[in-house]
Amino acid sequence: MARVASSPFVSSRSSTGRGRGARSNATGRFERLQREAFDDGWTDDAPEEHRTEVTQEPARKIVTFNDSPYVGFDRSINPYRGCEHGCVYCFARPTHAYLGLSAGLDFETRLFAKPNAATLLRKELSNRRYEVRPIAIGTNTDPYQPIERRHRVMREVLEVLAEFRHPVSILTKSDLVLRDLDLLAPMAAQGLARVMLSITTLDGRLARAMEPRAPRPDKRLEAVRVLAKAGVPTGTVHGPMIPGLSDSELESLMEASAERGATYAAYTVLRLPLEVADLFEEWLETFAPNRKDRVLRHLRDMNGGRIYDAQWSRAEEPRSVYARLIRERFAAAYRRLRFEEMPSLRTDLFAVPPEERPQLSLFA
């Protein structure tokens, strides 16, 4: 049985942004005027309340295409912008700067929902020139973040995909995915759906500090069990592995996932692009001050002397001893636990429903 390690390194000190991942809210990098917080001696100790605000943002297109060599898909859907889970390490945080907002607290409190996502998806899939390939959901922000319970954008998108018999791959940190089991199980039976749960740590205290509004690790593991039992190909993503802080849990995470029925797995190593680096350092100072220097030292070693360098961290072959060790540990556990390759999804069943086909012109 997988065991949870104790977490003496997690501090219980409170700070600004209670219940949130980021400790600050620096001005977006594209703004002409910059705000800088400072202590004038008059601020009391009560943490500032940061409520979630959701703006309805009708989109012009919903399927996003990419040709990046670093990802294993060429198209994706993001039902929301920003993410209430508030994971402090989230690589998507810098995208909020394009909205004139902060990658800090704004990213997890000022959210945008796309209410017309399902309508757009139906239109785009009905286009005669559309060529079907699996759509990835959950690649930038979590489709099952807390606001999905009320807005149900992901549910509507999944209903359209099921209707068109379109393959979909879902990545989430939330057991809310089980709400849609009535759609996922039939799609999986046709080879059209697979799900991965992201589980970073088995330590509830550490998870609460790093991912304050994501479901507890045990709830995510239970979601793995339920999905697998229902016949949905289910895997787990373990990461980001944080060197010197959480990487020791890699094997325990994989064992716990295998015990619940996960048949494949993946891992990532922490990367801190743009504003995320400062946000993560602030977080370390608050929650793991005694591990801060060690973590940053490992990160610099894994990124050619910098906190983050894409050419180093995303190189095909790990360039540091520590990164190679993590990869070798993952590979050894993968073999020992008899994990399989990620299952492929069918594309030959795709069909535009008859009522979605445009009426033929009398003059065509």
Side-chain angles (χ1 to χ4, degrees), residues 12 28 54-55 80 91 98 111 143 278 280 291 304 333 336 350:
S12 60
V54 182
T55 299
Y80 302 99
F91 67 87
Y98 296 110
L111 312 178
D278 288 340
F280 189 73
R291 298 291 182 100
R336 174 171 59 84
F350 175 79

Side-chain angles (χ1 to χ4, degrees), residues 72 160 348:
V160 173
D348 58 308

Side-chain angles (χ1 to χ4, degrees), residues 23 26 46 65 79 83 93 119 137 146 159 195 289 314 358:
R23 303 294 94 197
F65 293 85
C83 187
R93 284 181 175 273
T119 300
I137 306 182
E159 288 172 343
V195 177
R314 284 181 155 176

Side-chain angles (χ1 to χ4, degrees), residues 90-316:
C90 182
F91 67 87
R93 284 181 175 273
T95 61
H96 244 43
Y98 296 110
L99 305 174
L101 298 173
S102 173
L105 289 166
D106 281 349
F107 178 78
E108 51 195 282
T109 61
R110 299 183 65 178
L111 312 178
F112 298 83
K114 302 175 183 179
N116 62 336
T119 300
L120 285 176
L121 181 59
R122 189 180 301 277
K123 178 181 178 181
E124 292 172 27
L125 297 186
S126 298
N127 190 309
R128 291 176 180 271
R129 291 176 293 179
Y130 181 78
E131 297 180 4
V132 60
R133 287 185 184 174
I135 287 177
I137 306 182
T139 59
N140 203 50
T141 60
D142 202 309
Y144 288 106
Q145 60 180 285
I147 61 172
E148 166 64 14
R149 294 184 184 277
R150 180 162 60 92
H151 291 271
R152 298 175 67 86
V153 180
M154 176 59 182
R155 171 75 186 192
E156 293 175 0
V157 164
L158 199 56
E159 288 172 343
V160 173
L161 293 174
E163 186 178 352
F164 280 71
R165 291 187 288 179
H166 193 293
V168 62
S169 177
I170 298 171
L171 173 62
T172 181
K173 274 188 171 72
S174 178
D175 59 335
L176 181 57
V177 66
L178 298 179
R179 179 202 63 188
D180 294 338
L181 197 56
D182 61 316
L183 296 171
L184 290 169
M187 291 181 73
Q190 299 177 75
L192 296 174
R194 63 177 181 236
V195 177
M196 294 192 82
L197 271 293
S198 175
I199 309 173
T200 310
T201 176
L202 296 174
D203 182 344
R205 291 179 63 198
L206 179 57
R208 178 67 180 270
M210 288 198 305
E211 311 155 344
R213 300 204 176 192
R216 299 191 314 264
D218 61 300
K219 298 191 74 171
R220 291 180 235 174
L221 286 169
E222 176 62 10
V224 170
R225 187 192 68 78
V226 175
L227 286 165
K229 186 176 180 180
V232 179
T234 306
T236 47
V237 177
H238 304 301
M241 289 286 103
I242 302 174
L245 185 66
S246 65
D247 59 305
S248 61
E249 293 190 68
L250 179 57
E251 289 84 357
S252 295
L253 286 163
M254 296 176 71
E255 291 166 5
S257 301
E259 289 169 4
R260 270 72 172 188
T263 56
Y264 58 103
Y267 81 99
T268 60
V269 176
L270 181 67
R271 54 190 179 97
L272 301 173
L274 300 170
E275 296 96 331
V276 188
D278 288 340
L279 291 168
F280 189 73
E281 286 194 47
E282 289 176 352
W283 181 89
L284 283 172
E285 186 62 41
T286 300
F287 289 100
N290 59 329
R291 298 291 182 100
K292 179 181 177 180
D293 291 343
R294 181 188 304 179
V295 172
L296 296 181
R297 184 174 67 250
H298 282 311
L299 288 175
R300 290 190 179 96
D301 178 57
M302 297 169 73
N303 286 273
R306 303 178 181 180
I307 291 296
Y308 177 67
D309 186 316
Q311 298 304 314
W312 275 72
S313 66
R314 284 181 155 176
E316 187 173 343

Side-chain angles (χ1 to χ4, degrees), residues 54-69:
V54 182
T55 299
Q56 299 291 317
E57 181 189 53
R60 289 182 293 179
K61 286 184 64 65
I62 196 61
V63 180
T64 301
F65 293 85
N66 78 85
D67 58 1
S68 172

